[in-house]
Amino acid sequence: MTEPDGVPAPTQEQTAHALAAVTAEAQSAAAAELMVLAENVHKSFGHLAVLKGVDLAVRPGEVTVVIGPSGSGKSTFLRCINHLEKINAGRIWVDGELMGYQQRGARLYELGEKAIARQRRAVGMVFQRFNLFPHMTALENVVEAPIRVLRQPRTAAAQRGRDLLARVGLADKTDTYPGHLSGGQQQRVAIARALAMAPKLMLFDEPTSALDPELVGEVLDVMKDLAREGMTMVVVTHEIGFAREVGDSLVFMDGGVVVESGVPRDVIAAPQHQRTRAFLAKVL
Ligand SMILES: Nc1ncnc2c1ncn2[C@@H]1O[C@H](COP(=O)(O)OP(=O)(O)OP(=O)(O)O)[C@@H](O)[C@H]1O
Ligand SMILES: [Mg+2]
């Protein structure tokens, strides 16, 4: 087939390449404006498809709250964002950088360990279980990575570590071992420890669900302060009150896809999908 002026029409393959290039360029441009951009993320464990095309966009300074039933893929998705899991398809950018991979032509190649570690440093993660080092004091837990990984001088790291512990309300616990701290206090140390790496983005995976009810508030308060100070956060939680008060957007996941998302109070007051309604009815 030729065009009327005699210029050969592009083959299907050329068109596909050109489109891929245009799309890749548009994606990079969009990714540069966003703190997180996830497109069509797929993840399987063996035959079990866990993420089936997840999309997410988080602007700098925004708090995105992710909710959804057990097994819907929330933790897996968070772990994909900082490349603790390899993805099977799709793309994830953090602050404009493709996470875990390098694109050459239309193909992705996994980055080396060093490059992945460098990318991961920009992303703080707080889990349900605090995973503090039991043989180190609160302050030692906080300064360990800055000294060992960022090679900060010990005195500077300790000064900053004390500031961070004060920021999470634990100025008087710097020399206390985790075993002598409450769950809420341990979780606040874990948050200070993540902040010590000066992350651009913080991921929280059910940070309060292992806590006694009376300790939940103190951890949520620290997270609210962080949000107010402009930290970009993706938070998996069932604390709907937190989502309503602090969230810029609420994402409901079920069966490995985002079923719906929007302004938290809109999604909570008027969910568009039956599955969202059913889930909210259970947790509210
Ligand atoms: N490393 C793994 N190997 C095999 N299967 C896994 C692995 N990690 C997660 N899964 C499976 O993937 C699915 C999603 O798990 P995930 O932990 O992401 O769900 P979730 O939404 O965080 O659930 P919950 O609310 O219970 O924390 C589950 O069926 C789980 O068993
Ligand atoms: Mg989980």
Side-chain angles (χ1 to χ4, degrees), residues 1 9 15 85 129 146-147 151 160 217 225 227 246 267 270 272:
M1 194 177 76
T15 310
E85 299 288 356
R129 298 263 156 220
I147 291 172
R151 312 228 171 266
R160 178 154 160 71
D225 285 343
V246 184
V267 175
Q272 299 298 301

Side-chain angles (χ1 to χ4, degrees), residues 69-76 78 128 205-206 236 238:
S70 182
S72 56
K74 306 179 299 293
S75 297
T76 303
L78 277 194
Q128 184 174 342
D205 193 357
E206 302 207 34
V236 174
H238 295 307

Side-chain angles (χ1 to χ4, degrees), residues 130 132 137-142 158-178 180-195 211 215 218-219 221-222 225:
F130 337 112
L132 297 176
T137 64
L139 183 61
E140 286 165 353
N141 265 282
V142 172
Q159 186 49 55
R160 178 154 160 71
R162 277 191 203 92
D163 291 346
L164 285 169
L165 283 169
R167 191 163 152 196
V168 299
L170 294 174
D172 55 338
K173 299 291 184 191
T174 52
D175 299 327
T176 308
Y177 288 88
H180 293 163
L181 295 171
S182 73
Q185 291 169 335
Q186 288 184 54
Q187 191 59 303
R188 287 185 280 145
V189 174
I191 293 173
R193 180 179 58 176
L195 293 175
L211 299 177
L215 302 178
E218 64 192 53
V219 172
D221 284 344
V222 164
D225 285 343

